Amino acid sequence: MKPSRSHPKAYWKENLRYLFILLAIWFAVSYGAGILFKEALDTIKIGGFPLGFWFAQQGSIYVFVILIFVYVRLMNRLDKKYGYDE
């Protein structure tokens, strides 16, 4: 039996929850690791570059791309749960 589309508000509420959580993670990585905790992270080196610099330049972009794939996976599950997977 396929789930019905009778709960669009619940679907949208869960979608927004996923979105805010993933954006908070991205903000924490890009702003936190790249700006706020840069001095502490600069004591660690990756490929000869300080970790704080690496997060500010590339790490936040990598995390954003990973979060896109996580969001797609979460939305596919959510679509199946609420019957929007046609």
Side-chain angles (χ1 to χ4, degrees), residues 63-76:
V63 170
F64 182 68
V65 171
I66 291 168
L67 289 177
I68 289 171
F69 287 106
V70 169
Y71 181 70
V72 167
R73 186 175 175 112
L74 288 171
M75 288 310 298
N76 285 337

Side-chain angles (χ1 to χ4, degrees), residues 11-69:
Y11 172 85
W12 186 244
K13 184 177 179 181
E14 201 165 341
N15 181 7
L16 287 177
R17 185 170 56 91
Y18 288 152
L19 188 65
F20 287 129
I21 290 169
L22 294 174
L23 285 175
I25 292 169
W26 185 47
F27 176 79
V29 169
S30 62
Y31 186 73
I35 297 172
L36 293 179
F37 304 114
K38 180 189 175 303
E39 299 299 324
L41 291 172
D42 279 347
T43 60
I44 303 167
K45 305 270 187 211
I46 289 185
F49 295 100
L51 186 60
F53 173 78
W54 184 85
F55 266 110
Q57 298 302 313
Q58 297 191 12
S60 62
I61 296 169
Y62 290 149
V63 170
F64 182 68
V65 171
I66 291 168
L67 289 177
I68 289 171
F69 287 106

